[in-house]
Amino acid sequence: TKVLVQVREMGSSSSKNNNNKKEISVAQPNSDIFIKIVFLGYMDSGQQAIVHRFCDDIEPKENIDFKIKIITVKGRTVRLQIYCPYGVGSIGSLCLRASGVFVCYDVSKRETYNMMDDRFGEMTKRTSPRPNEVCLQVLGIKRDADSKTVVDSSDGQQYAKRIEEYYKCPEVVFSEVTTTDYESVHTLVMQMVATILKKEHNMDLD
């Protein structure tokens, strides 16, 4: 899916102890469509790198709570608000009114895969949205092309299938992506955006 990306950003950054928090903002245009996407995962699963790569095409230099990216799709302005909680705040609250959720783990760290139930479980405590009401995707993250894989793709596929069956979701997609590859990261996020636009706004991007 090809979109025209507008250079408009607003984000919140946080240190590990959250004592050095700051906000950077610029004036935002009025948006036709607002989409909230959340990356859930155990601390240091790679989701921070994914958000930085998608929004700025850079390596992460600081931890963030969220980023905003404005894109134009078929003449309509779409405001993407992308949350990436770094061990702070209530995950359940952050997922409130989300349209899409990536459940993430690092393919080189088995413990991040084992912790997915805890992170996803925090989301399911909320009454809105329910897992079967959002666009859900299980994401295996590779730090680089040479990352040692200790969590097989079949494990990620099985987890996606388990969520799909247990929560009666329409479909839970499984993907793997390398954080250093901008095109792959961009395609990953935009595929979810396209699904959300079609589902919630009757926009077909094909």
Side-chain angles (χ1 to χ4, degrees):
T1 302
K2 293 184 179 180
V3 298
L4 174 62
V5 177
Q6 306 290 332
V7 184
R8 297 284 190 275
E9 295 178 17
M10 181 171 68
S12 171
S13 61
S14 61
S15 64
K16 287 187 178 181
N17 59 16
N18 206 34
N19 291 326
N20 194 28
K21 195 168 183 178
K22 63 179 181 178
E23 288 193 359
I24 303 172
S25 63
V26 295
Q28 297 293 321
N30 293 328
S31 301
D32 291 338
I33 298 172
F34 170 82
I35 294 177
K36 181 178 181 179
I37 296 175
V38 181
F39 282 78
L40 290 182
Y42 187 63
M43 189 179 299
D44 202 31
S45 293
Q47 62 268 36
Q48 291 272 331
I50 293 292
V51 175
H52 276 285
R53 183 66 63 194
F54 175 71
C55 291
D56 306 312
D57 194 15
I58 60 172
E59 295 292 330
K61 296 179 181 179
E62 60 184 354
N63 298 317
I64 58 171
D65 297 324
F66 70 90
K67 295 282 286 185
I68 289 175
K69 187 166 185 174
I70 308 297
I71 62 176
T72 300
V73 181
K74 288 191 171 182
R76 299 188 66 180
T77 302
V78 182
R79 179 186 176 102
L80 303 178
Q81 188 160 314
I82 305 174
Y83 280 81
C84 187
Y86 191 79
V88 295
S90 168
I91 290 174
S93 296
L94 286 174
C95 289
L96 192 64
R97 292 186 291 276
S99 296
V101 175
F102 287 94
V103 188
C104 310
Y105 65 92
D106 186 330
V107 300
S108 67
K109 298 178 180 179
R110 168 63 67 171
E111 64 271 21
T112 64
Y113 176 84
N114 294 338
M115 289 294 294
M116 284 200 299
D117 275 343
D118 286 350
R119 288 296 184 265
F120 188 67
E122 286 294 318
M123 172 192 165
T124 61
K125 292 177 182 178
R126 303 294 302 195
T127 57
S128 177
R130 300 302 299 163
N132 60 359
E133 296 173 338
V134 300
C135 182
L136 272 179
Q137 187 161 337
V138 174
L139 181 61
I141 298 175
K142 300 179 181 180
R143 298 299 183 138
D144 54 58
D146 298 323
S147 293
K148 181 181 178 181
T149 300
V150 298
V151 183
D152 292 335
S153 297
S154 59
D155 292 328
Q157 292 167 348
Q158 289 173 7
Y159 190 84
K161 190 67 175 177
R162 179 155 62 89
I163 291 177
E164 183 178 312
E165 293 177 350
Y166 185 82
Y167 292 102
K168 296 179 173 58
C169 301
E171 181 181 18
V172 179
V173 176
F174 166 74
S175 298
E176 289 182 341
V177 71
T178 304
T179 62
T180 55
D181 186 347
Y182 172 78
E183 290 300 327
S184 295
V185 171
H186 182 268
T187 299
L188 171 84
V189 179
M190 288 309 303
Q191 284 176 342
M192 177 175 281
V193 170
T195 300
I196 293 168
L197 288 173
K198 185 173 183 178
K199 175 185 176 184
E200 297 184 359
H201 302 278
N202 198 29
M203 290 181 64
D204 195 339
L205 306 189
D206 294 335

